[in-house]
Amino acid sequence: MSAGVVAAKVGAALLSDERGRKAVGWIITAVLSPLILIIAVLCSLGSGGAEHNNAAVEACFYGVAYSAGVPAEYKEHVDDMRAAFSLLSSAVATANSQSEDGAIDPTRVESVFFALCFGEDAPSRRAADRFVDCFYTTETRTRTVEVTDEETGETSTEEEEYTVTVPLSLETAYANVAALLGREITDDDRSNINHIYTMVAGSAESGGEGGGVRGTEPSIDLDASVLSNPTTKNAADLAAYAEYAWRSGWGYVWGSFGYVLTEQQLQQLKAQYPEMVGGYESIIRSKWLGGRTTDCVGLIKSYGWFDPDELKIKYGTNGMPDVGANAMYYSATVKGTIDTIPEVPGLAVWCNGHIGVYVGNGEVVEARGTSSGVVRTKLAERHFTHWLQVPYIRYD
C-alpha cells in the first residue's frame, strides 16, 4: 500500500472524532517518514503541535484502543515501540537489581529510544540490552560478609568483591548511544527527548510550589511499626507509610525514592538530570542533603520497595515497577474523576505529571516540589483531577 493511501485511510478513520483529529498529524508523519523527529512536527504545527505529539506519545507509552479504520502500518509502528519498551524495561530492571547508590531511569531510556528509533522494527533482546548498556557502567566494590564454618559452626567475617551498576551522566549516555547507532545526537534530538520525557514523567515542579504543612519530627529512620500488616502491600499501610514520611520531614529530589541523600547520590542524580536536579542544586543542598528524599511517585514506589524486616528500600522488589506518575495512573484498572473519590486512605490522587497519596479526611500527603518537600495538603485546595487504586497495592 502506498504512503499516500495509508495517509488517506488514517485521515478518514480518525478525523471524525476529536482524539483522532489531535492524533492524525502525528500518525501521518509517522507513516510517511518513520524516523522523523517529533520536534519537526512541533515546529510545523505551531501551537497545536503539542496535542499531536501527546497522542503519539500516549499511544506508545500507555497503549490505545484502535478503531477498525486505523491502518495496520501505524498499529505495527506503535506495537513495535511498545514491544521495544518491554525489552528495554526488562534490561533496565536487570541492571538496576545490582544498583546501590541510584537507578537508571527507565522512562529516560524509553524516551531516548522513542525519539531516535520510532518506526523501526522492535529490537531483539540482545539489541535492547546493548541500548541500555549505554546508560550505566559497573564498579567492583568490596564488602564485609559473615561466613559460617560448615564443620565447626563458628562464624567469622571476610571481605568479598561484588559488582554494582552506576548510572552514567546524560551526556555520557548520549555519547554512547550515538556510537551505538552510528549517528550524532543533535540539539534537536536533545530537545525532542526532553520534551517527550517531560510529557511522560512530568517536571520537577509539576506538583507546584508553596503551601502544605511540613512534618515536625525530622528523622532518617525507617519504621515498620507504623504498618498494620507488613507482610502485604496494602492501602492502609501505604497511607501510614506516607504519613510517616511526612512526619519525618522527607525532602524532594527528582529521581529519588526514599534513600538518604548523600553527596555521591546528589552528584549522580545531578549528572542524570542536569535540569531537574542540577537546576535546583542550591535548594537541595541547603534543605535536603543528608536527609531522606523522594519525588512524587517515588513516595509510592518506596513503600512498594520497603523491606520491613531489614528496614531497607530495595529497588524493584515486591512486584512494584519503576514507573512515572502518568504511567502509574494509566496502568491502573480502577480509577475515576476526583469528584467521585471514595473515602479510602491509600488511594492515589493524580493530575498530569504529579501524584500523591490520599490519607483520609480530605487530606493528601505528597512530595510537592524541591522547595516544599513532602507535605500534607487539603485535597479540595489542590488541582488533582483523578483518583486511582495503585497497581500492586491490595485494596480490601
Side-chain angles (χ1 to χ4, degrees):
M1 183 182 297
S2 70
V5 173
V6 171
K9 288 196 172 186
V10 172
L14 297 182
L15 283 174
S16 59
D17 63 68
E18 182 177 358
R19 185 179 179 87
R21 287 194 295 273
K22 292 180 179 180
V24 68
W26 217 105
I27 296 172
I28 292 172
T29 303
V31 172
L32 294 179
S33 182
L35 298 179
I36 194 166
L37 299 176
I38 295 176
I39 193 69
V41 181
L42 295 178
C43 293
S44 64
L45 295 176
S47 62
E51 292 186 353
H52 295 261
N53 197 25
N54 288 348
V57 171
E58 287 179 6
C60 290
F61 280 85
Y62 310 130
V64 294
Y66 299 116
S67 67
V70 174
E73 289 88 342
Y74 175 66
K75 294 180 184 179
E76 289 174 4
H77 285 325
V78 173
D79 291 346
D80 281 346
M81 185 57 62
R82 289 182 61 77
F85 285 174
S86 179
L87 292 173
L88 293 169
S89 178
S90 176
V92 169
T94 299
N96 280 340
S97 67
Q98 294 181 289
S99 65
E100 266 191 354
D101 305 315
I104 307 161
D105 186 340
T107 303
R108 175 73 78 179
V109 173
E110 291 167 3
S111 298
V112 174
F113 188 87
F114 179 88
L116 302 179
C117 302
F118 181 83
E120 295 188 350
D121 293 338
S124 65
R125 181 171 297 277
R126 181 178 179 183
D129 289 347
R130 289 179 62 201
F131 192 85
V132 172
D133 286 347
C134 296
F135 292 82
Y136 72 95
T137 187
T138 59
E139 290 182 359
T140 299
R141 299 180 182 177
T142 59
R143 61 188 169 195
T144 302
V145 296
E146 190 174 86
V147 295
T148 302
D149 188 290
E150 293 182 359
E151 294 183 359
T152 66
E154 295 180 351
T155 60
S156 59
T157 59
E158 63 180 37
E159 295 292 309
E160 73 170 9
E161 292 187 341
Y162 67 107
T163 301
V164 298
T165 57
V166 180
L168 294 171
S169 71
L170 190 56
E171 285 304 308
T172 302
Y174 281 155
N176 291 341
V177 170
L180 177 67
L181 300 182
R183 56 158 291 184
E184 179 187 1
I185 308 299
T186 66
D187 289 342
D188 280 352
D189 289 328
R190 294 163 187 260
S191 177
N192 185 39
I193 292 165
N194 288 340
H195 178 81
I196 296 165
Y197 180 77
T198 301
M199 190 185 307
V200 176
S203 66
E205 306 302 337
S206 55
E209 285 293 4
V213 178
R214 290 280 298 153
T216 57
E217 303 172 24
S219 174
I220 61 171
D221 294 335
L222 293 173
D223 186 0
S225 70
V226 302
L227 307 179
S228 60
N229 188 357
T231 62
T232 68
K233 296 299 178 182
N234 62 84
D237 282 349
L238 171 58
Y241 181 92
E243 290 191 281
Y244 181 76
W246 164 69
R247 288 196 303 273
S248 300
W250 287 20
Y252 181 107
V253 177
W254 181 270
S256 62
F257 43 84
Y259 288 172
V260 175
L261 184 68
T262 64
E263 178 65 33
Q264 181 180 8
Q265 288 171 331
L266 175 57
Q267 291 303 320
Q268 287 185 355
L269 289 168
K270 180 182 173 184
Q272 280 186 278
Y273 308 107
E275 296 177 356
M276 307 286 199
V277 176
Y280 300 90
E281 183 177 6
S282 61
I283 299 175
I284 293 169
R285 286 189 175 280
S286 65
K287 301 187 74 168
W288 312 130
L289 192 61
R292 290 195 182 273
T293 66
T294 183
D295 59 19
C296 67
V297 72
L299 179 61
I300 297 173
K301 291 187 293 192
S302 70
Y303 167 67
W305 299 335
F306 176 52
D307 184 329
D309 294 324
E310 296 188 31
L311 298 180
K312 292 181 179 179
I313 296 168
K314 297 182 176 180
Y315 176 92
T317 54
N318 302 312
M320 176 70 75
D322 186 0
V323 296
N326 287 358
M328 186 170 285
Y329 168 75
Y330 281 106
S331 64
T333 57
V334 180
K335 53 193 170 185
T337 55
I338 203 67
D339 59 306
T340 65
I341 185 170
E343 182 56 30
V344 178
L347 290 172
V349 288
W350 173 88
C351 60
N352 186 31
H354 185 57
I355 199 165
V357 179
Y358 182 68
V359 295
N361 298 316
E363 294 189 318
V364 175
V365 170
E366 56 180 306
R368 187 165 179 176
T370 312
S371 297
S372 301
V374 175
V375 294
R376 196 181 189 105
T377 58
K378 297 289 186 181
L379 178 60
E381 298 173 359
R382 300 291 285 124
H383 57 279
F384 294 106
T385 59
H386 293 77
W387 62 269
L388 62 138
Q389 291 187 2
V390 179
Y392 307 100
I393 299 295
R394 194 178 77 189
Y395 290 82
D396 294 331

